[in-house]
Coordinates of all heavy atoms in Angstrom, one line a residue:
D1492 N -27.5 0.7 -2.4 CA -27.1 1.6 -3.4 C -26.2 1.0 -4.5 O -25.8 1.7 -5.4 CB -26.3 2.8 -2.7 CG -25.1 2.4 -2.0 OD1 -24.7 1.2 -2.1 OD2 -24.4 3.3 -1.5
G1493 N -26.0 -0.2 -4.3 CA -25.3 -0.9 -5.5 C -23.7 -0.4 -5.6 O -23.2 -0.4 -6.6
T1494 N -23.2 -0.2 -4.5 CA -21.8 0.2 -4.5 C -20.9 -0.9 -5.0 O -21.1 -2.1 -4.6 CB -21.3 0.6 -3.0 OG1 -22.1 1.6 -2.6 CG2 -19.9 1.0 -3.1
V1495 N -20.0 -0.6 -6.0 CA -19.1 -1.4 -6.5 C -17.9 -1.8 -5.5 O -17.3 -0.8 -5.1 CB -18.6 -1.0 -7.9 CG1 -17.6 -2.0 -8.5 CG2 -19.7 -0.8 -8.8
T1496 N -17.9 -3.1 -5.2 CA -16.8 -3.4 -4.4 C -15.6 -4.3 -4.9 O -14.7 -4.6 -4.3 CB -17.4 -4.2 -3.1 OG1 -18.0 -5.3 -3.6 CG2 -18.3 -3.3 -2.4
E1497 N -16.0 -4.7 -6.3 CA -14.8 -5.5 -6.8 C -14.3 -4.8 -8.1 O -15.0 -4.0 -8.7 CB -15.5 -6.8 -7.3 CG -16.0 -7.7 -6.2 CD -16.6 -9.0 -6.7 OE1 -16.5 -9.2 -7.9 OE2 -17.1 -9.7 -5.8
R1498 N -13.1 -4.9 -8.5 CA -12.4 -4.3 -9.5 C -12.9 -5.2 -10.9 O -13.1 -6.3 -10.9 CB -10.9 -4.6 -9.4 CG -10.4 -3.6 -8.3 CD -8.9 -3.8 -8.3 NE -8.3 -3.0 -7.2 CZ -8.0 -1.7 -7.3 NH1 -8.2 -1.1 -8.5 NH2 -7.5 -1.0 -6.3
S1499 N -13.2 -4.3 -11.9 CA -13.7 -4.9 -13.1 C -12.4 -5.0 -14.0 O -11.8 -3.9 -14.4 CB -14.7 -4.1 -13.7 OG -15.8 -4.0 -12.9
G1500 N -11.8 -6.1 -14.3 CA -10.8 -6.2 -15.1 C -9.4 -6.0 -14.3 O -9.5 -5.4 -13.2
A1501 N -8.4 -6.7 -14.8 CA -7.0 -6.5 -14.2 C -6.2 -5.5 -14.8 O -6.3 -5.2 -16.0 CB -6.3 -7.9 -14.3
W1502 N -5.5 -4.6 -14.0 CA -4.6 -3.4 -14.4 C -3.3 -4.1 -14.7 O -2.7 -3.5 -15.6 CB -4.5 -2.5 -13.2 CG -5.8 -1.7 -13.1 CD1 -6.7 -1.9 -12.2 CD2 -6.2 -0.5 -13.9 NE1 -7.9 -1.1 -12.4 CE2 -7.4 -0.1 -13.3 CE3 -5.6 0.0 -14.9 CZ2 -8.1 0.9 -13.9 CZ3 -6.4 1.2 -15.5 CH2 -7.7 1.6 -15.0
S1503 N -2.9 -5.1 -14.2 CA -1.5 -5.6 -14.6 C -1.5 -6.1 -16.0 O -2.4 -6.8 -16.4 CB -1.1 -6.7 -13.5 OG -2.0 -7.7 -13.5
G1504 N -0.5 -5.7 -16.8 CA -0.4 -6.3 -18.2 C -1.0 -5.3 -19.1 O -0.7 -5.3 -20.3
R1505 N -2.1 -4.6 -18.7 CA -2.7 -3.6 -19.6 C -3.2 -4.2 -21.0 O -3.0 -3.7 -22.0 CB -1.8 -2.5 -19.9 CG -1.4 -1.7 -18.8 CD -2.5 -0.9 -18.1 NE -2.0 -0.1 -17.1 CZ -2.9 0.6 -16.4 NH1 -4.1 0.7 -16.7 NH2 -2.4 1.3 -15.3
S1506 N -3.8 -5.5 -20.8 CA -4.3 -6.1 -22.0 C -5.6 -5.4 -22.6 O -6.2 -4.7 -21.7 CB -4.7 -7.5 -21.8 OG -5.5 -7.7 -20.8
G1507 N -6.0 -5.7 -23.8 CA -7.3 -5.1 -24.3 C -8.5 -5.4 -23.5 O -9.3 -4.6 -23.1
P1508 N -8.7 -6.7 -23.0 CA -9.8 -7.0 -22.2 C -9.7 -6.4 -20.8 O -10.7 -6.0 -20.3 CB -9.8 -8.5 -22.1 CG -9.1 -9.0 -23.4 CD -8.0 -7.9 -23.6
A1509 N -8.6 -6.2 -20.3 CA -8.4 -5.6 -19.0 C -8.7 -4.1 -18.9 O -9.4 -3.5 -18.2 CB -6.9 -5.8 -18.5
R1510 N -8.3 -3.5 -20.1 CA -8.6 -2.0 -20.2 C -10.1 -2.0 -20.5 O -10.8 -0.9 -20.0 CB -7.9 -1.4 -21.4 CG -6.4 -1.2 -21.1 CD -5.6 -0.4 -22.2 NE -5.8 -0.7 -23.6 CZ -4.9 -1.6 -24.1 NH1 -3.8 -1.9 -23.3 NH2 -5.0 -2.1 -25.3
A1511 N -10.7 -2.7 -21.2 CA -12.1 -2.7 -21.6 C -12.9 -2.9 -20.1 O -14.0 -2.4 -19.9 CB -12.6 -3.6 -22.5
G1512 N -12.4 -3.9 -19.4 CA -13.1 -4.2 -18.1 C -12.8 -3.0 -17.2 O -13.8 -2.7 -16.3
A1513 N -11.7 -2.3 -17.2 CA -11.5 -1.2 -16.3 C -12.5 0.0 -16.7 O -13.1 0.7 -15.8 CB -10.0 -0.7 -16.3
R1514 N -12.6 0.2 -18.0 CA -13.6 1.3 -18.4 C -15.1 0.9 -18.1 O -15.8 1.8 -17.7 CB -13.5 1.4 -20.1 CG -12.1 2.1 -20.5 CD -12.2 2.5 -21.9 NE -12.4 1.4 -22.7 CZ -11.4 0.7 -23.4 NH1 -10.2 1.1 -23.2 NH2 -11.7 -0.2 -24.2
D1515 N -15.4 -0.3 -18.3 CA -16.8 -0.7 -17.9 C -17.0 -0.6 -16.2 O -18.0 -0.1 -15.9 CB -17.0 -2.2 -18.2 CG -17.2 -2.4 -19.8 OD1 -17.3 -1.4 -20.4 OD2 -16.9 -3.6 -20.1
G1516 N -15.9 -0.8 -15.5 CA -15.9 -0.6 -14.0 C -16.1 0.8 -13.7 O -16.9 1.1 -12.8
V1517 N -15.4 1.7 -14.4 CA -15.5 3.2 -14.1 C -16.9 3.6 -14.5 O -17.5 4.4 -13.7 CB -14.5 3.9 -14.9 CG1 -14.7 5.4 -14.8 CG2 -13.0 3.6 -14.3
A1518 N -17.3 3.2 -15.7 CA -18.7 3.6 -16.1 C -19.8 3.1 -15.1 O -20.7 3.8 -14.9 CB -19.0 3.0 -17.5

C-alpha cells in the first residue's frame, strides 16, 4: 500500500526546504 515510513524533511530549524519537504510528505 505504499505506506510512508520515513519523514520527509527535517522539522528542526523550520528552514524553507524543510517546510517544503514536510508539505510534500503530508501530500
Side-chain angles (χ1 to χ4, degrees):
D1492 61 0
T1494 303
V1495 176
T1496 57
E1497 296 181 2
R1498 294 181 180 272
S1499 298
W1502 286 96
S1503 59
R1505 298 293 181 178
S1506 64
R1510 288 196 298 269
R1514 287 195 296 270
D1515 290 342
V1517 171

